[in-house]
Amino acid sequence: EADIYQTPRYLVIGTGKKITLECSQTMGHDKMYWYQQDPGMELHLIHYSYGVNSTEKGDLSSESTVSRIRTEHFPLTLESARPSHTSQYLCASSEFGGITEAFFGQGTRLTVV
Amino acid sequence: GIQVEQSPPDLILQEGANSTLRCNFSDSVNNLQWFHQNPWGQLINLFYIPSGTKQNGRLSATTVATERYSLLYISSSQTTDSGVYFCAGMEYGNKLVFGAGTILRVKS
């Protein structure tokens, strides 16, 4: 069973608010990822990290930002939420080399009203 | 070009039927995985299968890396198998890239 956790599971928030989605893993994985997914649609990579102090933008442009100060923690922040940010956000982690199997958290379903 | 391509996009089965889902991947992708996304949106690991064949109960998967494809077999399907099946692989060892998914509906 994967040890990767996301909080909150569900969030309804007003336009203009600042939000942080939390993601933590206890597997010691170097690589971590954030994906955005609308219901029934493809997963889009928005951010990833190779390790501490490493962050990269993904394939889908996003107004969110991430940080990687500790290996186990990869939070995603939206400075000013908008209705267009309504989506599901999925966090994952994997080893850097060797067996690169990725594991996902339960996801955060964000609704901006 | 498309790095990970899945087929079919949609599949409707009668309970008890068997099915095969296919994933084609480009030269830049390896270390294939299969996931099942449940109705609550969580991605469940099915197989990590860079090459060869693995089986887990009614599910099995085969990856032929030299020919750049992977197959997921579901036998004696059940309604609980419904959902979206994704394959994904590592692009140049850096990013995990996904196919568009196969939506499976199993009818009782």
Side-chain angles (χ1 to χ4, degrees), chain A residues 9 31 33 35 37 41-43 45 48 50 59 88 90 94 96 98-106 109, chain B residues 31 33 35 37 39-43 45 47-48 84 86 90-91 93-101 103:
Chain A
R9 288 292 312 279
K31 291 170 73 174
Y33 315 83
Y35 291 85
Q37 183 189 32
M41 303 296 283
E42 300 178 45
L43 280 83
L45 180 66
Y48 61 104
Y50 293 111
D59 302 319
Q88 172 161 254
L90 291 156
S94 72
F96 190 84
I99 298 174
T100 59
E101 184 176 7
F103 297 90
F104 278 80
Q106 294 165 301
R109 202 172 293 275
Chain B
N31 292 355
Q33 288 187 243
F35 297 90
Q37 189 165 38
W40 297 273
Q42 188 173 4
L43 282 163
N45 289 39
F47 296 101
Y48 173 74
V84 186
F86 289 101
M90 280 293 172
E91 181 198 40
N94 293 332
K95 300 185 293 183
L96 187 65
V97 292
F98 278 80
I103 300 173

Side-chain angles (χ1 to χ4, degrees), chain A residues 8-19:
Chain A
R9 288 292 312 279
Y10 303 94
L11 179 61
V12 180
I13 201 162
T15 298
K17 299 291 187 184
K18 178 180 179 179
I19 59 171

Side-chain angles (χ1 to χ4, degrees), chain B residues 12-30:
Chain B
I12 300 174
L13 296 177
Q14 198 64 39
E15 198 169 26
N18 303 328
S19 64
T20 301
L21 281 57
R22 185 177 179 103
C23 176
N24 294 333
F25 52 98
S26 68
D27 290 343
S28 64
V29 174
N30 57 21

